[in-house]
Amino acid sequence: AQSVAQPEDQVNVAEGNPLTVKCTYSVSGNPYLFWYVQYPNRGLQFLLKYITGDNLVKGSYGFEAEFNKSQTSFHLKKPSALVSDSALYFCAPYSTLTFGKGTMLLVSP
Amino acid sequence: DSGVTQTPKHLITATGQRVTLRCSPRSGDLSVYWYQQSLDQGLQFLIHYYNGEERAKGNILERFSAQQFPDLHSELNLSSLELGDSALYFCASRGGGNTEAFFGQGTRLTVV
């Protein structure tokens, strides 16, 4: 079985500061994982994925995620947040493509 | 543009009615997924079709059904609608291998 958890409903960060959106996983087999972003009144957009290889994955819009097997985590990060990054972020396992409530990221000016 | 087309964009209907939501996947994508998004429930997986066959079922009510046609487009049928069915309905399509899924813009269903 594969599942993910996003422990924070909301993350608040000031523009220019680094941001982290957390995701932990519980999978049997290969932990292939995705991050998606949803802007208001839009469908989900793919950000990045971990399949195999480097634990640090770079994606769209300056985002990156670090896969940590020992901590079973796949946290989304960005060195310097923008107000336009404010959106709903989802982590999901590749195999089932199931999502939860996501994490709302709010970046203040 | 994700390449996934959902129609209609908006739908307003009365309780007890039946509606059909349509999804055209990206060219060549064999998998179609349906989701329901509401404020309190988040993005809930409903059902997954692959090349015309049902592959997985999530929290889909018995009043709801779906199918995928030979041309790979998919329809989600919602019947005996209730106020609580008001939500955004998304479909996503995915090709083979370790590829990501692409989402449509959604259909906003309002049941009055």
Side-chain angles (χ1 to χ4, degrees), chain A residues 32 34 36 38 41-46 49 51 88 90 94-101, chain B residues 33 35 37 40-43 45 88 90 92 94 97-105 108:
Chain A
Y32 299 165
F34 291 136
Y36 281 82
Q38 184 182 26
N41 300 312
R42 304 295 298 274
L44 276 68
Q45 295 178 36
F46 170 75
K49 64 183 175 185
I51 302 296
L88 190 55
F90 294 94
Y94 159 81
S95 62
T96 58
L97 210 56
T98 50
F99 300 85
K101 292 189 177 183
Chain B
Y33 300 77
Y35 299 88
Q37 187 177 34
D40 55 341
Q41 296 292 328
L43 189 61
F45 166 68
L88 264 171
F90 288 103
R94 180 154 78 174
N98 298 322
T99 58
E100 58 270 27
F102 292 83
F103 281 76
Q105 294 299 301
R108 182 174 293 280

Side-chain angles (χ1 to χ4, degrees), chain B:
Chain B
D1 182 9
S2 67
V4 179
T5 304
Q6 287 188 249
T7 56
K9 286 188 170 51
H10 302 276
L11 197 49
I12 301 175
T13 190
T15 54
Q17 295 299 303
R18 172 189 169 95
V19 297
T20 297
L21 311 183
R22 183 187 169 102
C23 172
S24 295
R26 291 193 324 150
S27 177
D29 283 357
L30 299 180
S31 274
V32 171
Y33 300 77
W34 284 100
Y35 299 88
Q36 179 193 58
Q37 187 177 34
S38 58
L39 280 175
D40 55 341
Q41 296 292 328
L43 189 61
Q44 287 208 85
F45 166 68
L46 297 178
I47 200 162
H48 169 210
Y49 274 86
Y50 178 84
N51 201 19
E53 293 189 3
E54 181 185 305
R55 278 295 179 91
K57 233 174 188 178
N59 298 322
I60 187 166
L61 300 171
E62 286 192 11
R63 301 183 285 108
F64 296 1
S65 65
Q67 58 185 121
Q68 187 179 26
F69 295 85
D71 68 351
L72 301 178
H73 91 272
S74 179
E75 292 181 357
L76 180 66
N77 299 296
L78 315 176
S79 61
S80 302
L81 285 167
E82 302 175 359
L83 296 178
D85 297 327
S86 296
L88 264 171
Y89 291 84
F90 288 103
C91 79
S93 76
R94 180 154 78 174
N98 298 322
T99 58
E100 58 270 27
F102 292 83
F103 281 76
Q105 294 299 301
T107 292
R108 182 174 293 280
L109 173 66
T110 303
V111 183
V112 298

Side-chain angles (χ1 to χ4, degrees), chain A:
Chain A
Q2 296 201 355
S3 66
V4 297
Q6 293 179 241
E8 301 156 318
D9 290 337
Q10 185 168 307
V11 170
N12 297 297
V13 64
E15 189 173 34
N17 284 357
L19 69 87
T20 299
V21 183
K22 295 179 181 177
C23 172
T24 58
Y25 66 88
S26 173
V27 301
S28 55
N30 294 316
Y32 299 165
L33 299 162
F34 291 136
W35 273 103
Y36 281 82
V37 61
Q38 184 182 26
Y39 298 102
N41 300 312
R42 304 295 298 274
L44 276 68
Q45 295 178 36
F46 170 75
L47 274 180
L48 51 80
K49 64 183 175 185
Y50 174 80
I51 302 296
T52 57
D54 290 339
N55 290 339
L56 186 63
V57 180
K58 293 193 183 296
S60 307
Y61 312 121
F63 284 92
E64 57 189 27
E66 185 172 10
F67 176 77
N68 188 316
K69 190 172 183 178
S70 63
Q71 297 184 5
T72 62
S73 67
F74 188 52
H75 299 333
L76 183 70
K77 300 182 179 185
K78 188 173 183 182
S80 178
L82 298 172
V83 172
S84 57
D85 293 330
S86 298
L88 190 55
Y89 290 81
F90 294 94
C91 177
Y94 159 81
S95 62
T96 58
L97 210 56
T98 50
F99 300 85
K101 292 189 177 183
T103 299
M104 178 63 73
L105 172 67
L106 294 176
V107 182
S108 55

